[in-house]
Amino acid sequence: MDTDAEFDRLILFEQIRKAAEATYIKNPLDADNLTRWGGALLEVAQFHNPSDSKQLIQDAITKLEEALLIDPKKHDAQWCMGNAYTATAFLIPDETEAKYNFDLATQFFQQAVDEQPDNELYQKSLEMTSKAPLLHTQVHQHGFGSQPLGDDGPSAAPSSMGGKGKKKSSDLKYDVMGWVILAIGLVAWVGFAKANAPVTTPR
């Protein structure tokens, strides 16, 4: 059942990505469309191996940079950028390089909070980035960094971890990937649901 849901989700965001690509050809200066495109790429990245995920995330960053060139105060694009750099950092074993990406994530989350100070999700993302380097270290000590960015990460934790640290390790994995996936998922759904409403819910 979970596998079917995951596949449906992948198909959905692939469709959104293709639609955004088509819209971009007609109007390359649509910041909302570029943000949707970047968000879709981040979602699709969750279903690939680390190498392919990195490339998809980098492509997402490129689209989001374009959006921010058009509208530098676009808070949802800033927040997506924070998530993109967070996801990148967790895929990088080297702590120094990962910290550089976490720092970039912090900057973009802070910008999003500055634009929307009352947004609790933005505030939570900013708060979590302060804990990210420590979580990154623990994640890679457990050998989790080689796994794909899929939602099956947290649920797979109990079977892949052994000994007395099993529950703590699985909780840690949920904290890290659950946070990243939730953040990406929410920003994507907020933008995409609004964008697709006229098509998917005709009256």
Side-chain angles (χ1 to χ4, degrees):
M1 181 116 179
D2 284 345
T3 302
D4 290 341
E6 290 292 305
F7 181 73
D8 289 344
R9 190 157 157 248
L10 172 60
I11 294 300
L12 170 64
F13 285 105
E14 279 288 4
Q15 291 174 341
I16 293 169
R17 179 187 64 79
K18 290 176 182 176
E21 189 172 355
T23 299
Y24 180 78
I25 295 172
K26 299 174 186 174
N27 182 10
L29 299 180
D30 185 339
D32 287 335
N33 182 63
L34 284 162
T35 302
R36 283 194 295 274
W37 193 353
L41 287 166
L42 290 178
E43 287 282 356
V44 172
Q46 296 175 34
F47 299 91
H48 290 266
N49 62 49
S51 178
D52 290 341
S53 291
K54 284 181 183 179
Q55 184 57 56
L56 286 164
I57 293 168
Q58 186 55 54
D59 291 345
I61 289 172
T62 299
K63 304 308 174 196
L64 294 166
E65 285 175 341
E66 287 187 52
L68 289 170
L69 280 174
I70 297 164
D71 183 359
K73 293 183 178 294
K74 189 167 178 54
H75 53 83
D76 51 345
Q78 291 167 342
W79 192 47
C80 264
M81 284 286 273
N83 284 300
Y85 281 115
T86 299
T88 298
F90 277 115
L91 287 170
I92 298 170
D94 181 77
E95 289 189 18
T96 301
E97 189 178 351
K99 184 180 183 302
Y100 172 76
N101 283 276
F102 284 132
D103 288 345
L104 287 173
T106 299
Q107 291 175 24
F108 281 106
F109 284 140
Q110 182 64 63
Q111 290 173 17
V113 169
D114 290 344
E115 292 301 325
Q116 278 206 342
D118 295 330
N119 190 309
E120 293 182 4
L121 199 52
Y122 292 1
Q123 293 170 6
K124 184 64 175 177
S125 298
L126 180 60
E127 175 190 336
M128 288 296 289
T129 48
S130 65
K131 305 173 184 178
L134 175 59
L135 292 173
H136 172 274
T137 299
Q138 295 176 338
V139 161
H140 283 277
Q141 282 176 349
H142 291 305
F144 175 47
S146 61
Q147 295 186 12
L149 272 177
D151 278 309
D152 57 337
S155 62
S159 62
S160 61
M161 302 293 180
K164 294 182 179 178
K166 183 162 84 172
K167 185 178 187 305
K168 183 176 180 182
S169 297
S170 68
D171 288 347
L172 170 67
K173 183 182 287 187
Y174 179 82
D175 288 344
V176 174
M177 298 317 298
W179 163 46
V180 174
I181 291 166
L182 174 65
I184 293 173
L186 282 174
V187 74
W189 278 112
V190 167
F192 301 153
K194 182 169 64 176
N196 288 313
V199 177
T200 56
T201 56
R203 298 245 174 219

